[in-house]
């Protein structure tokens, strides 16, 4: 082994040394498929994120209306279809962006999960977008993970993706 | 005188024990003297030949008449008598020489032994011989050059020699601090290939041991942010436990084992 000035001896040296933030009790679960409870809680958290994002969007829109016409300022009425469409678009964009970049959303980060593509690599945007569409319009497909021996949801089965426990913060390689 | 009388004087002594011993000795001595004189005379005459030749024109006829008188038979010439004495003397002289040689070969060793018994030869050499001068005259270099040191060394039993050496005593006599003071540690250190030494050290193993001993992972966890806090870890662990329970329940309902046998997936 040759240690050069300023270089780390080995990229995986910290892992080899046991320098991980994962507690000993959770290390056995790392990289194993995540169960339905964790994934459902992550989805709930993601839904909360979308609610926050939607509310912020609505407030932003109302603020813009107030600046445009202060005399007639009021909270605009938004049809339910628009709300659902906006929420769906936000959710799809948010999920696909998160899965394409770090492989996990806020809910996944909170629960220590990571979404991986085929061959267990980071998904490219098209696949992530397709998976986000499926998850958005067919959320009940998530429950198939409770009955699947490999803990795969409908989206996972269709797109050969997987969700695993991964408490370590890192960016997986591209697919 | 006969030769045996000279070679073995003891016999003459023995014979002198009877009544004729004294006369025999006198006659013997007189006879020898006459023969010796004749021999000397003849030798002198031979040596004086040049002189004789010089005076021969005058003395020659006279001497010839004296030594060879014409009126006397040849057997009774003085010259004949002198020649007879000379021959006899020559024979006796040779016999004497032979007897002396025999006497020397037989008696000299005994004589020398007797002399040596009376002399402390070592002391004599030490007192009389300049040993320093003798040694100084020896060419040691030439002697050493003729020696085959390798052959001599090959015959030595070095193991036996080494076994007899008291190494502890030798080491006790060595002033190790003084030797260390003379060593240039900096120069030695400059020649050490540190990289090669490090290559042979299991640095990763040592680091792993230190990390486990110090629980560095725990320290890292304590120093990380909110998401890695104990609260988040608790939520995650509870979720994992719930996953396992739900998995076992559903697996039991579906008639299969729980999620313990799930394969691991290595994110890349």
């Amino acid at each position: 082994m040759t240690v050069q000035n300023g270089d780390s001896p080995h990229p995986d040296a910290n892992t080899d040394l046991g320098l991980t933030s994962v507690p000993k009790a959770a290390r056995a679960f790392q990289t194993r498929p995540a169960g339905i409870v964790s994934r459902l809680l992550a989805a709930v958290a993601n839904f909360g994120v979308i609610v926050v994002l939607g509310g912020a969007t609505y407030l932003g829109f109302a603020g813009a209306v107030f600046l445009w016409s202060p005399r007639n300022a009021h909270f605009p009425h938004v049809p339910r279809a628009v709300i659902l469409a906006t929420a769906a678009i936000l959710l799809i964009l948010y999920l696909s962006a998160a899965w394409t970049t770090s492989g996990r959303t806020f809910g996944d980060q909170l629960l220590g999960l990571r979404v991986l593509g085929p061959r267990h690599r980071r998904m490219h945007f098209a696949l992530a977008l397709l998976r986000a569409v499926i998850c958005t319009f067919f959320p009940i497909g998530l429950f198939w993970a409770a009955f699947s021996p490999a803990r795969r949801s409908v989206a996972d089965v269709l797109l050969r993706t997987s969700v695993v426990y991964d408490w370590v913060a890192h960016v997986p390689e591209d697919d | 005188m006969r030769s045996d009388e000279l070679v073995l004087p003891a016999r003459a002594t023995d014979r002198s024990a009877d009544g004729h011993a004294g006369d025999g000795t006198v006659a013997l001595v007189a006879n020898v003297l006459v023969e010796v004189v004749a021999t000397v005379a003849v030798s002198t005459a031979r040596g004086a030949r040049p002189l004789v030749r010089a005076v021969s024109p005058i003395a020659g006829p006279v001497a010839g008449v004296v030594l060879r008188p014409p009126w006397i038979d040849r057997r009774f010439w003085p010259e004949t008598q002198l020649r007879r004495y000379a021959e006899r003397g020559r024979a006796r002289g040779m016999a004497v020489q032979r007897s002396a040689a025999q006497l020397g070969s037989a008696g000299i060793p005994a004589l020398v032994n007797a002399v040596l018994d009376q002399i402390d030869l070592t002391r004599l050499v030490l007192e009389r011989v300049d040993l320093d001068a003798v040694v100084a005259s020896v060419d040691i270099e030439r002697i050493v050059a003729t020696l085959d040191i390798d052959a001599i060394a090959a015959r030595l039993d070095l193991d036996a020699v080494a076994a007899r050496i008291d190494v502890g005593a030798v080491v006790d006599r060595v002033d190790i601090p003084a030797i260390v003071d003379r060593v240039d540690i900096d120069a030695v250190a400059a020649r050490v290939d540190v990289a090669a030494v490090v290559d042979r050290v299991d640095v990763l193993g040592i680091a792993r041991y230190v990390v486990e001993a110090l629980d560095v992972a725990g320290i890292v966890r304590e120093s990380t942010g909110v998401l890695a806090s104990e609260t988040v870890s608790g939520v995650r662990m509870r979720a994992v436990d719930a996953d396992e329970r739900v998995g076992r329940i559903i697996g039991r309902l579906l008639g299969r084992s729980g999620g313990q046998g799930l394969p691991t997936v290595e994110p890349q």
Side-chain angles (χ1 to χ4, degrees), chain B:
Chain B
M1 177 180 140
R2 294 189 300 273
S3 63
D4 56 351
E5 291 172 341
L6 277 177
V7 172
L8 299 172
R11 290 183 186 178
T13 306
D14 293 341
R15 277 195 295 182
S16 66
D18 57 24
H20 307 288
D23 296 340
T25 303
V26 173
L28 179 64
V29 171
N31 202 359
V32 167
L33 286 176
V34 171
E35 292 171 357
V36 168
V37 169
T39 303
V40 170
V42 170
S43 300
T44 304
R46 288 177 179 171
R49 277 178 183 174
L51 181 61
V52 171
R53 285 197 193 96
V55 300
S56 59
I58 302 171
V62 176
V65 171
V66 172
L67 294 174
R68 296 182 293 273
W71 60 89
I72 300 176
D73 188 69
R74 184 184 185 91
R75 292 177 298 175
F76 300 105
W77 283 354
E79 183 186 62
T80 304
Q81 194 64 29
L82 287 174
R83 288 184 183 279
R84 190 177 297 121
Y85 281 131
E87 289 296 330
R88 191 180 300 172
R90 186 180 303 116
R92 292 293 174 92
M94 295 178 66
V96 168
Q97 290 179 358
R98 286 196 298 271
S99 299
Q102 292 177 0
L103 180 63
S105 63
I108 286 176
L111 179 62
V112 169
N113 286 332
V115 171
L116 292 178
D117 288 342
Q118 300 300 319
I119 297 175
D120 185 356
L121 199 56
T122 302
R123 194 175 129 210
L124 184 65
V125 169
L126 292 175
E127 291 178 351
R128 299 283 183 175
V129 178
D130 185 358
L131 294 177
D132 293 335
V134 173
V135 172
S137 65
V138 176
D139 187 355
I140 300 294
E141 296 289 340
R142 188 176 61 80
I143 295 173
V144 171
T146 60
L147 294 177
D148 186 356
I149 302 297
D150 292 335
I152 295 173
R155 295 170 59 186
L156 293 176
D157 186 359
L158 293 179
D159 292 335
V161 174
R164 297 174 60 186
I165 296 175
D166 186 358
V167 179
V170 175
V171 172
D172 289 342
R173 296 178 61 184
V174 176
D175 187 1
I176 295 178
I179 296 174
V180 172
D181 289 342
R182 295 174 61 185
V183 176
D184 187 356
I185 301 296
D186 294 334
V188 174
R191 297 174 60 186
V192 175
D193 187 356
V194 179
V197 175
V198 172
D199 283 342
R200 299 176 60 182
V201 176
D202 183 12
V203 179
L204 196 60
I206 296 172
R208 186 180 294 113
Y209 172 77
V210 173
V211 166
E212 291 178 357
L214 298 179
D215 190 17
V216 176
I219 297 173
V220 171
R221 280 195 304 276
E222 292 176 359
S223 60
T224 50
V226 178
L227 292 180
S229 65
E230 292 296 329
T231 304
V232 173
S233 296
V235 171
R236 289 174 175 179
M237 283 305 302
R238 290 177 182 275
V240 170
D241 289 340
D243 289 337
E244 294 300 311
R245 290 180 184 178
V246 171
R248 280 196 295 271
I249 292 171
I250 293 178
R252 195 175 302 128
L253 293 175
L254 298 177
R256 64 168 185 253
S257 59
Q260 299 297 327
L262 289 172
T264 59
V265 175
E266 290 291 344
Q268 300 181 27

Side-chain angles (χ1 to χ4, degrees), chain A residues 14-34:
Chain A
N14 290 340
T15 304
D16 294 341
L17 293 174
L19 276 175
T20 173
S21 59
V22 180
K24 289 183 179 179
R27 291 175 189 171
F29 298 100
Q30 299 304 302
T31 72
R32 290 178 61 179

